[in-house]
Amino acid sequence: MAFNADVLIVGGGIAGLSLASELAVRCSVILMEAEQALGYHTSSRSARQLIPSYGPAPVRALTVRTLEIIRAFEQQLTQTILTPRSFMLIGSETDVETKASGSMQRISHAEALELCPQLKPASFDAAGLDTTSVGTDTDALLDYHRRTAEAAGARIFTGSRVHSVQQLATGWNVGAGAHAIHAGVVVNAAGAWADELAVVSGVRTQGLRPYRRTAAVVHVENQPDPQAPMVAAADDAFYFRREGLGVLVSPAESEPNVPEDAKPRPEDVEALIAKLNTVTNLSITGVQRSWTGLRTQAAHGIPVVGFDPEAPGFFWLAGQGGYGFQTSSAIAELAADLITKDDAGDLHLNAALRPSP
Ligand SMILES: Cc1cc2nc3c(=O)[nH]c(=O)nc-3n(C[C@H](O)[C@H](O)[C@H](O)COP(=O)(O)OP(=O)(O)OC[C@H]3O[C@@H](n4cnc5c(N)ncnc54)[C@H](O)[C@@H]3O)c2cc1C
């Protein structure tokens, strides 16, 4: 079918859907997702934690704003999207000192052990706690954005991979599955495929690289308390937190990978279990399920958000790395302002995220 829209969003993960819900009340929006299900790739594979003290300064500012926005719309909903869940960093004095920023407070060794008695006392020297961190129901969040976008008139198509993007004097002609779309603005929210989409569109790439990250839910003999914080090693060796009757664990690896439907490697999960059985008393007895997602980022580690400086009407919404949920609503708000208004709010933040020439 043939369509016209002010804005065509490529990618139905948290980035594309949160922008669609913000933008659809302002202009006509079409979203194209290659897979049969929205959120199929990285957005269904996260640890579902929003951590205001995590990441570089622009990311922390975006996280604080995202929490404000989600809390505001959550009040109108019957379901809960955010649940209090602190975030605790452990490690050497130097590693914790380096990483403890923003809303993270230093706590004593004894306090850390009280919060998570499953940690072996000799496995860390120092700790920090972010009590403003929360868990999030990512399925509910994705579905909220889909419903809001569609209620405002956005048309969302799954199973429609964008295969051709051609720049015209009047905007862009896009081929997606069996559809042909003419749009004034094309938004690149293609996650791990963002640079590939740029190539298809004849636009210079931004050096975005996908990195593997694996997670698993494991059975344990010593379950952390339901109120216990998520615990992460400050040297990025692992993290874990309670998940239902099991424990969600990750080796917190960041290994370059091609854009693909990434799968976990059994040896990575086995090595993680061996490590956690050394530094904790969780006593992991088996694996319930495991998965791998791709965290895509530019070399500077900050999301890339804004119009391409050389290709008018081509908008980047990519490189969210390990912060895609915690920055989603603030980035969507900024992106919608940049697309529909001259005034784009926080100019300092806007400049930090701008695509490279
Ligand atoms: C193990 C793990 C734990 C994480 N934990 C957290 C966390 O606790 N908190 C947090 O904030 N973040 C976390 N993240 C990061 C977060 O999940 C990502 O930043 C976020 O999901 C990225 O969303 P996205 O929409 O950019 O990408 P995606 O969800 O991958 O969406 C991009 C979509 O674009 C589609 N697409 C690509 N090319 C095309 C095309 N040509 N045509 C049409 N569609 C196309 C893809 O099919 C895909 O669905 C974690 C990630 C991993 C892997």
Side-chain angles (χ1 to χ4, degrees):
M1 282 185 71
F3 301 101
N4 272 300
D6 294 321
V7 178
L8 171 73
I9 300 173
V10 185
I14 185 61
L17 286 168
S18 53
L19 178 62
S21 79
E22 182 73 33
L23 209 49
V25 287
R26 311 190 197 189
C27 60
S28 60
V29 174
I30 292 179
L31 184 150
M32 290 290 171
E33 166 54 46
E35 301 292 347
Q36 296 300 333
L38 294 167
Y40 173 81
H41 284 287
T42 314
S43 295
S44 59
R45 307 177 193 203
S46 85
R48 302 190 297 283
Q49 186 81 12
L50 313 185
I51 311 164
S53 57
Y54 178 47
V59 165
R60 298 200 302 272
L62 290 163
T63 304
V64 170
R65 177 66 188 141
T66 295
L67 284 170
E68 281 172 10
I69 297 172
I70 296 178
R71 286 201 171 101
F73 66 65
E74 193 182 27
Q75 286 178 8
Q76 327 294 329
L77 304 175
T78 46
Q79 85 238 74
T80 306
I81 291 185
L82 303 178
T83 312
R85 182 167 59 221
S86 301
F87 175 76
M88 187 162 83
L89 203 56
I90 55 158
S92 70
E93 191 61 51
T94 318
D95 285 347
V96 172
E97 190 56 42
T98 311
K99 285 258 180 90
S101 52
S103 47
M104 178 161 284
Q105 309 289 321
R106 293 297 303 271
I107 58 171
S108 69
H109 192 265
E111 286 168 323
L113 282 178
E114 202 172 315
L115 287 165
C116 185
Q118 289 75 16
L119 284 169
K120 288 189 180 164
S123 66
F124 66 103
D125 299 323
L129 186 68
D130 183 350
T131 55
T132 65
S133 178
V134 290
T136 183
D137 182 336
T138 52
D139 290 344
L141 192 56
L142 290 165
D143 199 50
Y144 165 80
H145 288 307
R146 180 194 60 75
R147 283 186 282 112
T148 307
E150 289 186 331
R155 281 172 294 184
I156 297 178
F157 296 87
T158 54
S160 301
R161 176 173 296 281
V162 168
H163 51 77
S164 65
V165 183
Q166 190 191 1
Q167 188 169 18
L168 311 169
T170 55
W172 299 82
N173 268 355
V174 177
H179 307 297
I181 309 105
H182 180 266
V185 172
V186 169
V187 175
N188 182 354
W193 290 266
D195 264 357
E196 285 192 1
L197 184 72
V199 172
V200 167
S201 312
V203 173
R204 198 194 297 253
T205 56
Q206 289 286 319
L208 294 159
R209 300 262 180 281
Y211 296 89
R212 294 170 65 83
R213 178 146 300 186
T214 300
V217 174
V218 294
H219 304 289
V220 299
E221 283 176 9
N222 291 318
Q223 184 61 274
D225 187 86
Q227 313 305 325
M230 175 171 176
V231 176
D235 64 358
D236 291 330
F238 61 82
Y239 62 74
F240 67 88
R241 65 162 175 79
R242 176 136 174 179
E243 168 84 3
L245 295 176
V247 174
L248 185 149
V249 299
S250 172
E253 85 279 29
S254 256
E255 194 185 309
N257 206 102
V258 294
E260 64 169 355
D261 189 356
K263 302 287 182 216
R265 296 187 291 236
E267 62 271 26
D268 290 348
V269 179
E270 281 157 24
L272 169 66
I273 290 173
K275 166 90 185 170
L276 284 173
N277 278 337
T278 316
V279 295
T280 74
N281 296 315
L282 288 166
S283 298
I284 298 170
T285 54
V287 179
Q288 203 183 90
R289 63 195 164 91
S290 61
W291 64 93
T292 296
L294 298 178
R295 305 170 357 137
T296 299
Q297 59 187 67
H300 52 51
I302 296 172
V304 178
V305 180
F307 280 108
D308 189 277
E310 295 169 356
F314 190 90
F315 193 94
W316 289 89
L317 190 71
Q320 293 87 343
Y323 319 113
F325 280 96
Q326 67 180 56
T327 58
S328 54
S329 289
I331 287 185
E333 179 181 60
L334 174 67
D337 284 352
L338 286 166
I339 290 168
T340 59
K341 301 188 211 169
D342 289 337
D343 169 20
D346 185 338
L347 289 176
H348 178 67
L349 195 52
N350 180 3
L353 308 182
R354 198 173 285 156
S356 322

mmCIF file of all heavy atoms in Angstrom, residues 201-217:
data_model
loop_
_atom_site.group_PDB
_atom_site.id
_atom_site.type_symbol
_atom_site.label_atom_id
_atom_site.label_comp_id
_atom_site.label_asym_id
_atom_site.label_seq_id
_atom_site.Cartn_x
_atom_site.Cartn_y
_atom_site.Cartn_z
ATOM 1 N N SER A 201 20.192 4.422 3.147
ATOM 2 C CA SER A 201 19.601 5.740 2.886
ATOM 3 C C SER A 201 20.577 6.703 2.216
ATOM 4 O O SER A 201 20.232 7.867 1.989
ATOM 5 C CB SER A 201 19.125 6.358 4.215
ATOM 6 O OG SER A 201 18.375 5.435 4.957
ATOM 7 N N GLY A 202 21.816 6.248 1.982
ATOM 8 C CA GLY A 202 22.816 7.143 1.385
ATOM 9 C C GLY A 202 23.290 8.214 2.344
ATOM 10 O O GLY A 202 23.699 9.303 1.935
ATOM 11 N N VAL A 203 23.235 7.916 3.647
ATOM 12 C CA VAL A 203 23.629 8.883 4.679
ATOM 13 C C VAL A 203 24.906 8.376 5.347
ATOM 14 O O VAL A 203 25.063 7.164 5.574
ATOM 15 C CB VAL A 203 22.496 9.027 5.729
ATOM 16 C CG1 VAL A 203 22.924 9.891 6.904
ATOM 17 C CG2 VAL A 203 21.241 9.602 5.074
ATOM 18 N N ARG A 204 25.797 9.305 5.694
ATOM 19 C CA ARG A 204 27.051 8.917 6.343
ATOM 20 C C ARG A 204 26.759 8.259 7.708
ATOM 21 O O ARG A 204 25.893 8.733 8.448
ATOM 22 C CB ARG A 204 27.898 10.168 6.572
ATOM 23 C CG ARG A 204 29.359 9.850 6.831
ATOM 24 C CD ARG A 204 30.048 11.057 7.382
ATOM 25 N NE ARG A 204 30.060 12.190 6.464
ATOM 26 C CZ ARG A 204 31.142 12.609 5.805
ATOM 27 N NH1 ARG A 204 32.282 11.995 5.972
ATOM 28 N NH2 ARG A 204 31.091 13.658 5.016
ATOM 29 N N THR A 205 27.491 7.185 8.037
ATOM 30 C CA THR A 205 27.229 6.456 9.282
ATOM 31 C C THR A 205 27.779 7.235 10.491
ATOM 32 O O THR A 205 28.566 8.164 10.330
ATOM 33 C CB THR A 205 27.880 5.052 9.245
ATOM 34 O OG1 THR A 205 29.276 5.227 8.988
ATOM 35 C CG2 THR A 205 27.276 4.206 8.133
ATOM 36 N N GLN A 206 27.373 6.802 11.696
ATOM 37 C CA GLN A 206 27.787 7.489 12.933
ATOM 38 C C GLN A 206 28.741 6.641 13.778
ATOM 39 O O GLN A 206 28.961 6.941 14.954
ATOM 40 C CB GLN A 206 26.550 7.837 13.775
ATOM 41 C CG GLN A 206 25.690 8.946 13.184
ATOM 42 C CD GLN A 206 26.338 10.321 13.335
ATOM 43 O OE1 GLN A 206 26.910 10.638 14.357
ATOM 44 N NE2 GLN A 206 26.242 11.128 12.292
ATOM 45 N N GLY A 207 29.276 5.562 13.208
ATOM 46 C CA GLY A 207 30.197 4.713 13.976
ATOM 47 C C GLY A 207 29.498 4.005 15.128
ATOM 48 O O GLY A 207 30.082 3.829 16.204
ATOM 49 N N LEU A 208 28.252 3.589 14.896
ATOM 50 C CA LEU A 208 27.497 2.885 15.949
ATOM 51 C C LEU A 208 27.849 1.406 15.915
ATOM 52 O O LEU A 208 27.834 0.782 14.858
ATOM 53 C CB LEU A 208 25.995 3.082 15.728
ATOM 54 C CG LEU A 208 25.545 4.524 15.909
ATOM 55 C CD1 LEU A 208 24.220 4.793 15.217
ATOM 56 C CD2 LEU A 208 25.429 4.848 17.404
ATOM 57 N N ARG A 209 28.179 0.855 17.085
ATOM 58 C CA ARG A 209 28.582 -0.555 17.151
ATOM 59 C C ARG A 209 27.677 -1.304 18.132
ATOM 60 O O ARG A 209 27.492 -0.848 19.260
ATOM 61 C CB ARG A 209 30.004 -0.686 17.707
ATOM 62 C CG ARG A 209 31.055 0.023 16.890
ATOM 63 C CD ARG A 209 31.777 -0.942 15.934
ATOM 64 N NE ARG A 209 32.791 -0.256 15.163
ATOM 65 C CZ ARG A 209 32.547 0.497 14.078
ATOM 66 N NH1 ARG A 209 31.318 0.657 13.649
ATOM 67 N NH2 ARG A 209 33.525 1.106 13.429
ATOM 68 N N PRO A 210 27.153 -2.460 17.710
ATOM 69 C CA PRO A 210 26.414 -3.310 18.651
ATOM 70 C C PRO A 210 27.380 -4.118 19.529
ATOM 71 O O PRO A 210 28.398 -4.615 19.034
ATOM 72 C CB PRO A 210 25.616 -4.253 17.744
ATOM 73 C CG PRO A 210 25.804 -3.763 16.335
ATOM 74 C CD PRO A 210 27.083 -2.972 16.330
ATOM 75 N N TYR A 211 27.064 -4.234 20.804
ATOM 76 C CA TYR A 211 27.872 -5.034 21.752
ATOM 77 C C TYR A 211 26.946 -6.036 22.443
ATOM 78 O O TYR A 211 25.875 -5.669 22.936
ATOM 79 C CB TYR A 211 28.514 -4.128 22.814
ATOM 80 C CG TYR A 211 29.511 -3.156 22.226
ATOM 81 C CD1 TYR A 211 29.101 -1.911 21.785
ATOM 82 C CD2 TYR A 211 30.858 -3.498 22.091
ATOM 83 C CE1 TYR A 211 30.006 -1.012 21.215
ATOM 84 C CE2 TYR A 211 31.770 -2.616 21.532
ATOM 85 C CZ TYR A 211 31.341 -1.377 21.091
ATOM 86 O OH TYR A 211 32.234 -0.503 20.528
ATOM 87 N N ARG A 212 27.422 -7.279 22.519
ATOM 88 C CA ARG A 212 26.635 -8.339 23.172
ATOM 89 C C ARG A 212 26.502 -8.094 24.660
ATOM 90 O O ARG A 212 27.448 -7.655 25.305
ATOM 91 C CB ARG A 212 27.352 -9.691 23.056
ATOM 92 C CG ARG A 212 27.502 -10.276 21.714
ATOM 93 C CD ARG A 212 28.446 -11.460 21.791
ATOM 94 N NE ARG A 212 27.895 -12.542 22.605
ATOM 95 C CZ ARG A 212 27.036 -13.441 22.154
ATOM 96 N NH1 ARG A 212 26.628 -13.412 20.904
ATOM 97 N NH2 ARG A 212 26.583 -14.404 22.942
ATOM 98 N N ARG A 213 25.351 -8.426 25.195
ATOM 99 C CA ARG A 213 25.217 -8.555 26.656
ATOM 100 C C ARG A 213 24.235 -9.687 26.944
ATOM 101 O O ARG A 213 23.122 -9.714 26.430
ATOM 102 C CB ARG A 213 24.751 -7.263 27.305
ATOM 103 C CG ARG A 213 24.578 -7.456 28.810
ATOM 104 C CD ARG A 213 24.893 -6.279 29.645
ATOM 105 N NE ARG A 213 26.249 -5.800 29.539
ATOM 106 C CZ ARG A 213 26.731 -4.818 30.306
ATOM 107 N NH1 ARG A 213 25.972 -4.263 31.224
ATOM 108 N NH2 ARG A 213 27.980 -4.402 30.163
ATOM 109 N N THR A 214 24.695 -10.611 27.773
ATOM 110 C CA THR A 214 23.925 -11.816 28.077
ATOM 111 C C THR A 214 23.308 -11.691 29.465
ATOM 112 O O THR A 214 23.866 -11.033 30.344
ATOM 113 C CB THR A 214 24.876 -13.032 28.010
ATOM 114 O OG1 THR A 214 25.413 -13.086 26.681
ATOM 115 C CG2 THR A 214 24.180 -14.332 28.336
ATOM 116 N N ALA A 215 22.165 -12.311 29.646
ATOM 117 C CA ALA A 215 21.542 -12.376 30.971
ATOM 118 C C ALA A 215 20.864 -13.734 31.103
ATOM 119 O O ALA A 215 20.601 -14.407 30.096
ATOM 120 C CB ALA A 215 20.530 -11.254 31.149
ATOM 121 N N ALA A 216 20.615 -14.135 32.336
ATOM 122 C CA ALA A 216 19.935 -15.410 32.570
ATOM 123 C C ALA A 216 19.132 -15.310 33.861
ATOM 124 O O ALA A 216 19.450 -14.495 34.733
ATOM 125 C CB ALA A 216 20.968 -16.536 32.691
ATOM 126 N N VAL A 217 18.086 -16.116 33.948
ATOM 127 C CA VAL A 217 17.402 -16.271 35.230
ATOM 128 C C VAL A 217 17.800 -17.648 35.750
ATOM 129 O O VAL A 217 17.670 -18.652 35.031
ATOM 130 C CB VAL A 217 15.877 -16.138 35.091
ATOM 131 C CG1 VAL A 217 15.198 -16.439 36.415
ATOM 132 C CG2 VAL A 217 15.509 -14.737 34.615
#
